[in-house]
Amino acid sequence: MPGMAVLAPALEDTPFLRLWHGFLTGRAMVALALLLLQALGQALNQTPEPGVLLVCLAYLAATTALRVVGRHAPPAPHSGLHWLPSIGVDLVAVGALQLLHTGGMNFTPLFGLPILMASVLGTLTLALGTTAAATLLLLAWAWWLGQQTTGGDAAQRYLQAALTGTGYFIVAFLIHQLSARLVREQQIAQHSKMAALLQSQVSALVIQNLTDGVLVVDEECTVRMANPAGLLLLGCTPGSAPPFTLEQTSPWQPLVAMSRHTFHQEQPQVADVNLMGEGQSPIGLHVRTWLTAPRRTPGSRLCVMFLHDLREMQARLRTEKLAAMGRMSAAVAHEIRNPLAAIVQANALLEEELQDPGQKRLTHMVQQNADRLARIAEEILDIARVQHQISHAPAATVALDETVAQIWRDWSSHDPARRQALVALGTGAIHVEFDAEHLRRVLVNLLDNALRFMGSAPDSLQLSTRLHAPGQASMQVWSDGPPMDQSVERHLFEPFFSSESRSSGLGLYICRELCERHGASIGYQRASRPTQRGDVEGNAFTVHFRKTGQLQAPASLFDTIVV
């Protein structure tokens, strides 16, 4: 039946459950009222009707029992015997009261209760069937009166029963249609609510995980909503959350100006702004603003601001540029090796034939510059070798202190007078996941880099290993060199970047590439260390090794460089 299809999905819904509880409570209250009225009437009239009292008492017991037992869910809407404890009991009770009562009281209006229940909670078939049963009981009552009395107009009684039944049919049909419409409206509302909730959850998830900052600002420049990226770009303290005003902090004034301009122009705005914090580097932002749809309520429009960090964009462009430069440089380095080798060989043969000291100095100068050029070419090509070695090298572990000590002895033996350091190895027999040759390359690069900038004191260079937690070791190379400029520090580990004109700028890049490929990390910080001269600030490069037993970390961002 169509009515069943409409009603069935909604019977367990909260509104219909409340209606079911209302009907159950109403039946119990009607039964209690009937019992009290009948008892009071019989006491006043001194006319005992025990049958009527028994019916009222039984009806009260039946309605109370169903209110307790059947309160969890209404019956299924289709017709069946499961409606007998409710609709069936009501019809029988009203019919019995009408039959047994000898006074002038008419109980037939109580047929409206089961008819309403069937029309609201059941199918159209159940509603019309209940109405038909009530009408038949009315007609049977009219016939019964005709049998009991010889006088009176029987036709009028039948007509009255027929008119009452017709009214019940009309009411049952209309109530069922209204109930079906209520179900449809409720289903549409539930579907809309679920769709809105799902859309809200998806939007919140997307906004929370956007790398771009999102701010929702009202006309008073108060931030109503902000995602974590937006709070980070604004430099808010951890744990801070909206609402807060943009006018409270001077570095945010460019955003205040853009917000006000957006509201004034009532059009989206796009601009690049700089947030200048005291003692901090300026944060360049690409800002786009939109206005929400206008509302009738004054001041209800909101400005949505999208903040894109220009540093990230510049870093991505720089990475792409460096990758292209790396491919080109590797190709050039590969092409110059053969002519360079010919120059070196020819210069060596020429030097054997020369006797003049001035000419020998010239050939020595050629040899020195050719060697320098060869080293630069080898460093450029070294990127490809490193990636090839790592991709084909099996996983290995080394004893950190033992390996570091051996590398230090080999490195310092080349120039013992100058290559002095304070060595403190504190990890004992801890093994780390690293290839021995790769660890040598990393440490030698760091020591060479420190040697160029450190002072002349015996403890100007310090090499140490330490254990931070069980299985978590680190290695540090510290030197008392001067502090780096911020522009140099920002690009320390990028390829082809160097503060010296004679350097290829690949040493620290190769160190980071090797560390990341083995699941380790390398970083730089300005730190103070105790020396014979007291606490001295210097440059510290620290390698944090992967905790023993962890899976290999993902590859570096620069794996896409092809050389």
Side-chain angles (χ1 to χ4, degrees):
M1 293 293 293
M4 185 192 306
V6 174
L7 287 173
L11 284 177
E12 301 297 330
D13 293 342
T14 301
F16 281 85
L17 186 59
R18 288 199 298 265
L19 284 174
W20 171 243
H21 289 166
F23 277 120
L24 293 182
T25 304
R27 293 172 70 244
M29 296 301 294
V30 168
L32 180 61
L34 286 174
L35 180 60
L36 294 177
L37 290 175
Q38 287 301 317
L40 181 61
Q42 293 186 27
L44 294 176
N45 296 330
Q46 301 295 324
T47 304
E49 291 182 339
V52 175
L53 288 177
L54 288 176
V55 171
C56 291
L57 186 61
Y59 186 46
L60 177 60
T63 56
T64 304
L66 186 60
R67 180 66 180 86
V68 174
V69 176
R71 68 184 184 277
H72 300 293
H78 57 81
S79 305
L81 298 178
H82 52 277
W83 286 102
L84 289 179
S86 54
I87 295 177
V89 168
D90 291 345
L91 294 175
V92 171
V94 175
L97 290 173
Q98 188 69 23
L99 179 64
L100 296 176
H101 186 64
T102 58
M105 184 175 292
N106 188 1
F107 293 94
T108 55
L110 294 179
F111 283 129
L113 184 60
I115 291 174
L116 286 175
M117 185 185 299
S119 301
V120 173
L121 300 179
T123 62
L124 183 60
T125 302
L126 179 64
L128 296 180
T130 304
T131 306
T135 304
L136 290 176
L137 289 175
L138 289 174
L139 293 173
W141 173 246
W143 173 83
W144 173 258
L145 287 179
Q147 295 297 320
Q148 297 295 319
T149 61
T150 56
D153 189 356
Q156 185 176 2
R157 290 193 297 269
Y158 284 115
L159 179 60
Q160 182 67 35
L163 287 176
T164 304
T166 302
Y168 281 155
F169 274 107
I170 295 174
V171 170
F173 179 77
L174 292 178
I175 291 177
H176 181 78
Q177 294 301 314
L178 291 175
S179 176
R181 181 173 181 179
L182 173 63
V183 172
R184 288 193 295 269
E185 295 294 337
Q186 183 186 4
Q187 290 176 341
I188 293 174
Q190 286 180 341
H191 292 162
S192 301
K193 181 180 179 181
M194 292 300 298
L197 180 61
L198 181 62
Q199 184 65 38
S200 175
Q201 291 175 343
V202 172
S203 299
L205 184 63
V206 171
I207 291 175
Q208 289 296 314
N209 291 277
L210 275 178
T211 56
D212 287 354
V214 180
L215 305 178
V216 181
V217 185
D218 61 16
E219 296 184 24
E220 302 298 327
C221 295
T222 299
V223 177
R224 300 280 190 87
M225 295 174 57
N227 67 340
L231 295 175
L232 182 63
L233 290 175
L234 290 179
C236 296
T237 57
S240 59
F244 56 85
T245 177
L246 291 175
E247 295 179 331
Q248 68 184 13
T249 306
S250 57
W252 299 343
Q253 296 310 307
L255 300 180
V256 174
M258 280 201 68
S259 173
R260 290 176 175 171
H261 192 62
T262 302
F263 282 114
H264 180 71
Q265 297 291 331
E266 295 188 350
Q267 291 182 351
Q269 305 293 323
V270 179
D272 292 340
V273 300
N274 290 320
L275 305 185
M276 303 288 293
E278 294 184 5
Q280 298 178 355
S281 300
I283 300 177
L285 298 177
H286 180 72
V287 183
R288 296 171 295 165
T289 64
W290 281 276
L291 283 175
T292 58
R295 299 180 183 177
R296 296 182 179 180
T297 306
S300 61
R301 300 196 71 178
L302 297 174
C303 173
V304 182
M305 310 182 75
F306 288 85
L307 314 179
H308 183 75
D309 193 349
L310 291 176
R311 296 171 299 179
E312 179 183 347
M313 183 185 304
Q314 293 168 356
R316 184 165 57 250
L317 293 175
R318 185 168 58 249
T319 300
E320 295 174 357
K321 181 176 68 175
L322 291 174
M325 186 184 301
R327 289 191 292 268
M328 180 192 69
S329 301
V332 172
H334 183 74
E335 291 297 327
I336 66 175
R337 292 179 70 192
N338 290 335
L340 183 61
I343 292 174
V344 171
Q345 185 177 6
N347 183 67
L349 294 175
L350 181 61
E351 186 178 14
E352 294 178 356
E353 300 295 333
L354 296 176
Q355 301 296 329
D356 183 78
Q359 293 177 342
K360 281 185 172 290
R361 283 196 301 270
L362 293 177
T363 57
H364 182 65
M365 185 182 302
V366 172
Q367 181 65 40
Q368 284 183 328
N369 285 276
D371 291 341
R372 176 190 168 200
L373 187 58
R375 284 195 303 272
I376 294 176
E378 286 297 320
E379 288 179 349
I380 295 174
L381 293 175
D382 208 19
I383 297 177
R385 297 194 189 101
V386 166
Q387 294 179 347
H388 178 78
Q389 291 172 5
I390 295 175
S391 61
H392 292 81
T397 60
V398 294
L400 181 59
D401 284 359
E402 180 182 344
T403 306
V404 169
Q406 183 61 46
I407 297 172
W408 163 254
R409 287 193 294 268
D410 295 343
W411 182 79
S412 61
S413 63
H414 289 82
D415 190 358
R418 187 183 177 200
R419 298 185 178 186
Q420 299 182 19
L422 180 62
V423 180
L425 305 179
T427 60
I430 287 294
H431 283 63
V432 295
E433 297 184 24
F434 221 96
D435 181 78
E437 182 57 32
H438 295 163
L439 183 60
R440 176 182 294 274
R441 295 171 68 92
V442 170
L443 184 53
V444 168
N445 272 333
L446 294 179
L447 292 172
D448 287 341
N449 188 62
L451 186 64
R452 291 198 297 268
F453 302 101
M454 71 179 210
S456 58
D459 53 3
S460 293
L461 176 63
Q462 297 185 15
L463 171 62
S464 62
T465 61
R466 57 181 298 192
L467 197 62
H468 300 275
Q472 187 73 55
S474 67
M475 175 183 70
Q476 187 179 88
V477 176
W478 178 90
S479 63
D480 61 353
M484 297 183 186
D485 187 80
Q486 287 188 355
S487 60
V488 175
E489 181 181 343
R490 191 178 301 118
H491 306 291
L492 266 181
F493 297 97
E494 293 180 3
F496 306 108
F497 180 87
S498 176
S499 59
E500 291 186 314
S501 60
R502 292 179 174 269
S503 174
S504 63
L506 291 174
L508 291 178
Y509 165 73
I510 292 176
C511 288
R512 188 181 72 170
E513 187 75 1
L514 287 168
C515 288
E516 290 185 352
R517 288 299 188 88
H518 287 285
S521 63
I522 184 171
Y524 163 80
Q525 65 271 0
R526 186 75 178 167
S528 62
R529 291 291 180 269
T531 66
Q532 296 178 357
R533 298 155 286 163
D535 289 344
V536 177
E537 282 198 350
N539 302 312
F541 288 87
T542 307
V543 177
H544 292 276
F545 296 95
R546 182 173 55 196
K547 192 173 182 179
T548 306
Q550 288 183 338
L551 296 176
Q552 185 169 354
S556 168
L557 175 65
F558 292 97
D559 290 348
T560 55
I561 298 180
V562 179
V563 293

